[in-house]
């Protein structure tokens, strides 16, 4: 390792001994990436969340048994839970329609949507995190947080750490918390028949959770990996602990008709749903679907009287997203229907997904 020297110019006002501490910054030579390990108790009542920091440095100086803190920020990332985006339909401009067109209604299909990839998820890394070395101060026996706010915080690593210069990243425990959880099942049968077991928790720690990958465990069993988006202090977040084969959902297109009613083209759709609980315990299930959203005057979307009433929307739901909340006892099944009618002016092509 090359020798390094620090030159300090001092102005002495009086004689005597003094202690001198020198801090210096090596720009871009150190970084850390957050990740997590979430352990759900077998009864689903709590989750223990470990906040891990993968520390890497290339300062040309080994960090040996140092006291370290890591500074956080709030980058953005994506989720792996089912998330239904807004689905719009619109009319083609009148001038684009040939007068010879006589078909009642042409529906232009959009490309098929891909199914849910349970292993899809990309964690975000945070580069250039600031590290503070404190060689002379004792390390705290538990994780401490200073200068915490909704956007950032500094986490004290609870043990001394050794990180070699230029070596692979060293992963260390930065914080640990046990959080109360609420279990529910979540499914979006328009995309996939997978029914996810989801634990909802509140970030009760004094610092925001950064985006990063999460290793998921139920008891001592590893069940998979997901990606966590940034979670501010006191905000709720959800972790999917795998697909529960003991809860099933079926969604079928039972009827589709294209007609002309009172001079307007009309597409009528009916979907049938069946939700079943094969577990030896009651379950709460949220079923998501969505209706097309019209962006054109004269193009309307309505539900039919046989449609089951929707449950209240949640914050963050995209326009057109609908949800049904179900509580199923052991062995119980529920059936219901969704009827949709899309009406448009005659001989106008509808762009976007209808069914």
């Amino acid at each position: 390792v090359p020798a390094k020297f620090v030159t300090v110019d001092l102005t002495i006002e009086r004689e005597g001994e003094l202690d001198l501490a020198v801090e210096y910054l090596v720009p871009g030579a150190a970084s850390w990436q957050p990740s997590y390990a979430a352990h759900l108790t077998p009864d689903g009542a709590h989750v223990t969340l470990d906040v891990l920091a993968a520390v890497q440095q290339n300062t040309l100086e080994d960090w040996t048994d140092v006291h370290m803190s890591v500074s956080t920020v709030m980058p953005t990332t994506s989720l792996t839970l089912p998330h239904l985006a807004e689905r719009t339909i619109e009319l083609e401009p009148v001038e684009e329609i040939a007068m010879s067109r006589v078909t009642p209604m042409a529906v232009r299909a959009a490309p098929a949507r891909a199914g849910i990839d349970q292993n899809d998820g990309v964690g975000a890394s945070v580069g250039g995190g600031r590290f503070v070395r404190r060689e002379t101060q004792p390390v705290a026996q538990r994780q401490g947080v200073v200068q915490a706010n909704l956007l950032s915080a500094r986490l004290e690593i609870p043990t001394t750490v050794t990180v070699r210069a230029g070596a692979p990243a060293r992963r260390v425990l930065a914080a640990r918390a046990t959080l109360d959880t609420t279990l529910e099942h979540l499914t979006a049968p328009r995309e996939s028949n997978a029914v996810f077991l989801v634990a909802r928790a509140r970030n009760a720690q004094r610092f925001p959770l950064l985006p990063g990958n999460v290793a998921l465990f139920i008891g001592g069993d590893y069940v998979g990996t997901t990606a966590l988006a940034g979670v501010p202090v006191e905000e709720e977040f959800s972790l999917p602990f795998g697909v529960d084969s003991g809860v099933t959902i079926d969604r079928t297109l039972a009827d589709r008709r294209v007609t002309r009613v009172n001079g307007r083209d009309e597409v009528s759709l009916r979907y049938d749903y069946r939700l079943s609980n094969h577990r030896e315990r009651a379950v709460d299930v949220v079923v998501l679907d969505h209706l097309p959203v019209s962006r054109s005057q004269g193009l309307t979307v309505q539900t039919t009287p046989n449609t089951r009433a929707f449950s209240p929307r949640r914050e963050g739901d995209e326009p057109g997203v609908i949800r049904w909340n179900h509580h199923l006892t052991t062995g119980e099944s529920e059936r219901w229907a969704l009827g949709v009618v899309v009406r448009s002016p005659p001989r106008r092509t509808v762009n976007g997904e209808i069914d």
Side-chain angles (χ1 to χ4, degrees):
V1 177
K4 294 181 293 183
F5 300 92
V6 177
T7 302
V8 180
D9 294 327
L10 298 176
T11 300
I12 306 299
E13 296 182 353
R14 59 183 175 84
E15 294 183 357
E17 295 183 355
L18 75 157
D19 294 326
L20 179 64
V22 178
E23 290 188 3
Y24 58 93
L25 179 65
V26 183
S31 64
W32 74 285
Q33 176 178 342
S35 63
Y36 304 89
H39 295 260
L40 184 67
T41 57
D43 62 0
H46 308 282
V47 64
T48 298
L49 187 67
D50 290 344
V51 182
L52 306 172
V55 181
Q56 192 170 28
Q57 60 96 359
N58 192 25
T59 62
L60 303 180
E61 177 184 8
D62 290 343
W63 299 353
T64 304
D65 293 330
V66 298
H67 304 306
M68 180 186 301
S69 66
V70 293
S71 178
T72 70
V73 292
M74 288 289 290
T76 59
T77 191
S78 60
L79 300 172
T80 55
L81 284 175
H83 182 74
L84 301 180
E86 178 180 356
R87 184 163 56 100
T88 65
I89 58 177
E90 61 183 4
L91 297 172
E92 279 191 358
V94 176
E95 57 270 16
E96 296 183 8
I97 303 175
M99 295 302 295
S100 60
R101 185 177 298 172
V102 295
T103 53
M105 184 174 186
V107 179
R108 185 171 299 170
R113 301 175 67 113
I116 296 175
D117 183 356
Q118 300 169 32
N119 296 318
D120 185 24
V122 180
S125 62
V126 181
R130 183 182 178 190
F131 297 85
V132 180
R133 300 178 58 186
R134 297 175 178 170
E135 303 286 356
T136 59
Q137 298 185 10
V139 66
Q141 296 302 309
R142 57 186 178 86
Q143 166 255 325
V145 180
V146 297
Q147 298 178 354
N149 55 57
L150 290 177
L151 296 178
S152 64
R154 179 178 294 175
L155 304 182
E156 302 284 348
I157 305 300
T159 59
T160 58
V161 179
T162 296
V163 183
R164 304 299 180 189
R170 170 77 184 277
R171 192 167 65 167
V172 296
L173 177 67
R176 172 176 290 165
T178 299
L179 308 175
D180 295 334
T181 56
T182 301
L183 291 185
E184 68 180 14
H185 289 72
L186 182 70
T187 180
R190 176 182 172 83
E191 305 290 336
S192 166
N193 285 342
V195 180
F196 289 85
L197 173 65
V198 178
R200 299 177 60 193
R202 180 177 57 86
N203 180 18
Q205 302 180 98
R206 295 175 55 201
F207 54 90
L209 300 177
L210 300 177
N213 286 341
V214 186
L216 301 164
F217 300 83
I218 299 179
D221 297 330
Y222 172 74
V223 297
T225 302
T226 189
L228 182 71
V231 183
V233 175
E234 298 298 329
E235 288 291 323
E236 279 197 349
F237 63 99
S238 298
L239 294 173
F241 281 88
V243 175
D244 189 348
S245 59
V247 183
T248 59
I249 181 75
D250 292 311
R251 175 188 186 266
T252 58
L253 177 59
D255 188 42
R256 186 183 193 279
R257 300 180 184 180
V258 179
T259 58
R260 178 171 294 174
V261 179
N262 297 326
R264 302 185 67 189
D265 291 336
E266 183 175 291
V267 177
S268 300
L269 307 165
R270 192 188 88 236
Y271 297 94
D272 289 340
Y273 300 78
R274 180 180 179 182
L275 179 66
S276 302
N277 177 24
H278 308 285
R279 289 292 182 191
E280 295 182 354
R281 55 180 173 81
V283 295
D284 294 308
V285 186
V286 178
V287 180
L288 300 177
D289 212 313
H290 58 183
L291 304 174
V293 177
S294 172
R295 295 300 189 193
S296 300
Q297 186 175 3
L299 180 62
T300 62
V301 179
Q302 294 180 320
T303 57
T304 59
N306 65 329
T307 296
R308 180 168 181 162
F310 306 140
S311 300
R313 293 167 54 86
R314 287 185 183 173
E315 183 179 355
D317 284 350
E318 296 281 358
V321 170
I322 56 177
R323 57 176 65 230
W324 294 282
N325 298 336
H326 300 264
H327 179 80
L328 300 182
T329 59
T330 300
E332 185 179 6
S333 295
E334 288 194 16
R335 296 175 181 267
W336 72 97
L338 168 65
V340 181
V341 179
V342 179
R343 297 184 177 93
S344 66
R347 294 179 293 277
R348 296 290 299 276
T349 298
V350 178
N351 295 327
E353 294 180 84
I354 291 182
D355 49 4

